[in-house]
Amino acid sequence: MIYLELFCAFFKIGLFSIGGGYAAMPLIEQQIVVKNAWITINEFADLVVIAETTPGPIALNAATFVGTQVAGLGGAIVATIG
């Protein structure tokens, strides 16, 4: 069930985020901190730092980080695909 929720959350973010990774960050915060409470606001600040310093698209790095925090390796894969 958590895998489906992760996939749907990041699919919505990818579907409605226009303008790149920085524009997607408020959508990511709304979905993962406010709506689903998967991570805290302090962990979200860490997520932003990690996503910016890691090579690759910011939103993709954020999805991988959240998936790992919520459901381990399987969650990271599902969130990244979403």
Side-chain angles (χ1 to χ4, degrees):
M1 185 66 177
I2 190 68
Y3 293 129
L4 181 62
E5 291 175 12
L6 277 168
F7 179 82
C8 289
F10 281 100
F11 186 77
K12 287 178 195 175
I13 291 167
L15 189 64
F16 294 112
S17 62
I18 298 170
Y22 292 113
M25 293 313 269
L27 294 172
I28 294 171
E29 179 186 10
Q30 180 66 29
Q31 284 288 319
I32 65 171
V33 176
V34 177
K35 183 179 176 189
N36 294 311
W38 286 329
I39 64 173
T40 65
I41 194 68
N42 291 332
E43 290 173 322
F44 182 76
D46 293 340
L47 173 142
V48 173
V49 171
I50 291 169
E52 286 182 3
T53 58
T54 308
I58 293 169
L60 188 66
N61 293 338
T64 305
F65 179 83
V66 172
T68 303
Q69 292 294 318
V70 173
L73 180 62
I77 293 169
V78 170
T80 303
I81 291 171

